[in-house]
Amino acid sequence: MPPAATGNGGIDAPKNKFTGIAMTAFSAFGGILYGYDTGIISGILAMDDFKATFGQQASDGTFSLPSSSQSLFVSILSAGTFVGALFGAPMGDIIGRKWGIVIAAAVFSIGIALQTAAVTAAPFVVGRVFAGLGVGLVSCLVPMYQSECSPKWIRGAVVSLYQWAITIGILLAAIINNATQGRSNHSAYQIPISIQFVWAFILGFGMMLLPESPRFLVRQGRDEDAALSLSRLTRLSPDDPVVRTELAEIRTNFEAELALGESSYLDCFRPSHNKILLRTLTGIFIQAWQQLTGINFIFYYGTQYFQNAGINQAFLITIATGIVNVFMTLPGLYGVERYGRRSLLLIGALGMTICEFIVAIVGVTIPASNLAGQRVLIAFVCIYIAFFASTWGPIAWVIVGEIFPLQVRAKGISLSVASNWLWNFGIAFATPYLVNTQAGSAGLGSKVFFIWGTTCACCLVFTYFCVPETKGLSLEQIDEMYQEVTPLNSYQYRRRLQEEGGFRTEKADIIHEETAEKERT
């Protein structure tokens, strides 16, 4: 699934201040937890020992997992992440972005312990729920932390690192699954699961050493601590004019928003001069559409899908898709700052639409025994993943981290990430019933790609009308842009803001005028 600010941009670190950027980028390691936990289940469901332990024995002596078990084991994680994402906002606002991530790593570890020890379905499911809670918290707090601490000139790339870490986690899961899938005992699935303790420890311990978000500290009235945090991030003295100017603008922006009173989740859905309702719906739906591209069909059920399509070495093909996912995210890290958010989202949606319809047509017209047809199917699945990895994968998180004003940022990001996991849950739960040929299932097989192709076309329409271009703008400038123009006119207004430079006070004036009007009435 998701900016820092000065009048001239984000945290106004000079472009050679590598240390502060590296500290912020480290939090992207949380994506390893997300990606690995997403990728690992695909291979585990296809392992013989896992099916023998948790599945049902057929009359021929083989074991298999019914659609209901597949659906439960995969989707219950997303139910936990949905709840975790909603808790991310109050945790981020009360405990802080930094310490919230540390706690999330601890909750995640409880879930891993339960899954590793499980030999029956109940503790395995409970463990998936706890792991989901941890991942949900991480998926809300990491983009928030990155957005608030990154220099504006590289903010998009830093936030995109979170998605890159997700892809690395998925690839690592595929590699480890392939290494252990031939084992004839419980270690076949216990080893891949238990390795997640390492990822949780690295994230939790590393975050303890990083500075807290200066915007959270300003929100708490801890201005001196905020100055120290900015000092660490910019490698400048707390009394440096750059640090003090940055801090003053963060405080001014927050006080202007605070003049309207304390925010609630309901405020995210109130029409206002700065289009908070539009911004909330944009965040919610961009995360929904990201899931509806169908990408997690590949990463949750890809191994089984390739097996059912008659493709040999399905585990190795899953590794190949993971490699494509990792390395095609790198052009996205460059492109998000070079070409912008909106343009790449439009290109990605169009490319995915074409690829998914080709996969669907090939899957339903060419028999599984046709080797050339299998190669075409695999090739276009990989091209589809490449389009996703370089556009919708990272940029959906960037947009969510950028578009909300400070007053409702935690709640807005929380709602957006919760939307991601709600749709993730729905897709994970429904997919076995859509694809499998067992009794009670629809048996769509490759026809399911007609559904994903249609939803990708909807992504194109959504982006055109609802997503503005925010490249190179500070959070405060993005807030100003939402007040003045619609997403369709964002290109021109963005250029104007960059030419003018500086954070204007019109927003504060408007807010104070609205507050005065409320008091008079």
Side-chain angles (χ1 to χ4, degrees):
M1 169 212 1
T6 181
N8 300 315
I11 285 181
D12 203 16
K15 294 191 177 184
N16 63 346
K17 296 298 183 181
F18 172 78
T19 305
I21 297 170
M23 286 192 291
T24 304
F26 172 81
S27 62
F29 195 87
I32 297 286
L33 274 68
Y34 179 167
Y36 190 92
D37 213 37
T38 295
I40 198 174
I41 196 66
S42 174
I44 285 176
L45 292 178
M47 290 181 181
D48 292 336
D49 184 76
F50 188 85
K51 289 188 285 188
T53 304
F54 296 98
Q56 299 174 352
Q57 188 172 19
S59 57
D60 61 359
T62 60
F63 289 88
S64 64
L65 290 169
S67 296
S68 59
S69 294
Q70 292 182 36
S71 176
L72 177 63
F73 290 158
V74 176
S75 66
I76 198 65
L77 175 85
S78 301
T81 52
F82 174 75
V83 176
L86 290 178
F87 275 105
M91 181 174 287
D93 279 345
I94 297 171
I95 298 174
R97 284 58 159 149
K98 164 187 169 177
W99 289 106
I101 296 172
V102 174
I103 292 173
V107 173
F108 180 80
S109 297
I110 294 172
I112 299 310
L114 288 168
Q115 290 179 72
T116 303
V119 291
T120 59
F124 188 82
V125 169
V126 173
R128 293 278 288 171
V129 172
F130 272 94
L133 286 170
V135 171
L137 290 169
V138 165
S139 62
C140 176
L141 295 170
V142 166
M144 192 187 307
Y145 180 85
Q146 291 178 310
S147 298
E148 293 184 349
C149 296
S150 305
K152 62 110 179 187
W153 59 271
I154 199 173
R155 184 182 64 228
V158 169
V159 178
S160 296
L161 285 174
Y162 178 63
Q163 175 64 24
W164 192 45
I166 292 174
T167 68
I168 293 173
I170 292 172
L171 176 59
L172 290 173
I175 293 171
I176 294 170
N177 278 341
N178 184 63
T180 65
Q181 51 114 355
R183 289 173 170 262
S184 58
N185 54 35
H186 295 337
S187 65
Y189 65 87
Q190 287 175 334
I191 291 174
I193 292 173
S194 62
I195 283 175
Q196 294 174 96
F197 282 120
V198 178
W199 316 142
F201 174 79
I202 292 173
L203 177 66
F205 182 75
M207 286 303 301
M208 291 180 187
L209 306 178
L210 298 187
E212 180 57 271
S213 162
R215 281 170 175 76
F216 166 74
L217 296 172
V218 167
R219 183 184 176 89
Q220 298 294 308
R222 298 161 55 186
D223 287 7
E224 290 307 310
D225 289 338
L228 290 173
S229 176
L230 280 170
S231 173
R232 288 187 64 188
L233 290 167
T234 60
R235 308 302 291 173
L236 298 171
S237 166
D239 297 319
D240 189 281
V242 171
V243 172
R244 289 298 169 182
T245 301
E246 171 76 11
L247 188 62
E249 291 176 351
I250 294 173
R251 188 188 306 112
T252 298
N253 188 60
F254 176 63
E255 288 174 352
E257 292 171 348
L258 202 60
L260 292 176
E262 189 64 29
S263 65
S264 66
Y265 275 106
L266 188 60
D267 290 321
C268 295
F269 297 95
R270 296 186 193 277
S272 64
H273 72 279
N274 57 353
K275 300 185 180 73
I276 287 181
L277 175 60
L278 172 63
R279 293 153 87 163
T280 299
L281 294 178
T282 299
I284 288 173
F285 279 102
I286 198 170
Q287 290 290 332
W289 288 121
Q290 187 205 52
Q291 289 299 305
L292 287 167
T293 60
I295 191 66
N296 278 330
F297 169 73
I298 298 296
F299 296 125
Y300 282 153
Y301 299 104
T303 306
Q304 292 173 293
Y305 169 72
F306 292 132
Q307 287 177 338
N308 295 336
I311 295 171
N312 295 324
Q313 302 296 327
F315 277 89
L316 292 179
I317 298 300
T318 302
I319 292 176
T321 61
I323 291 172
V324 172
N325 196 27
V326 169
F327 286 99
M328 287 308 299
T329 301
L330 295 176
L333 301 184
Y334 169 77
V336 71
E337 298 297 355
R338 176 66 177 84
Y339 303 109
R341 287 70 156 144
R342 179 180 167 91
S343 300
L344 289 184
L345 288 174
L346 291 170
I347 293 170
L350 178 61
M352 288 189 294
T353 300
I354 295 170
C355 289
E356 301 225 56
F357 279 121
I358 291 175
V359 171
I361 293 168
V362 170
V364 299
T365 58
I366 297 178
S369 58
N370 187 309
L371 184 60
Q374 288 184 3
R375 289 173 176 170
V376 170
L377 188 148
I378 293 170
F380 275 95
V381 166
C382 289
I383 296 172
Y384 149 65
I385 291 172
F387 272 111
F388 175 87
S390 57
T391 58
W392 276 79
I395 297 174
W397 295 103
V398 175
I399 293 294
V400 164
E402 290 180 332
I403 62 175
F404 295 105
L406 182 58
Q407 185 189 20
V408 297
R409 182 170 302 139
K411 295 178 177 64
I413 293 176
S414 173
L415 288 168
S416 302
V417 175
S419 169
N420 180 292
W421 288 112
L422 180 63
W423 285 97
N424 190 305
F425 169 79
I427 292 168
F429 185 85
T431 295
Y433 295 103
L434 290 173
V435 177
N436 290 349
T437 57
Q438 300 171 0
S441 300
L444 292 180
S446 293
K447 295 177 185 176
V448 76
F449 281 94
F450 284 117
I451 298 175
W452 308 140
T454 302
T455 53
C456 285
C458 293
C459 292
L460 187 68
V461 176
F462 166 79
T463 301
Y464 182 78
F465 288 104
C466 299
V467 180
E469 182 53 71
T470 57
K471 183 188 81 165
L473 299 180
S474 75
L475 301 187
E476 287 73 19
Q477 287 172 321
I478 292 170
D479 194 36
E480 180 180 334
M481 182 171 66
Y482 264 106
Q483 295 175 35
E484 301 296 333
V485 297
T486 65
L488 288 174
N489 299 319
S490 59
Y491 282 114
Q492 298 88 336
Y493 198 80
R494 169 184 158 273
R495 283 196 294 268
R496 174 182 162 188
L497 285 174
Q498 289 184 313
E499 289 170 0
E500 291 176 350
F503 171 59
R504 301 190 318 206
T505 59
E506 292 176 9
K507 180 175 72 171
D509 294 339
I510 292 172
I511 291 174
H512 287 305
E513 287 174 9
E514 288 188 354
T515 304
E517 180 64 26
K518 286 181 180 178
E519 292 174 351
R520 286 194 295 270
T521 59

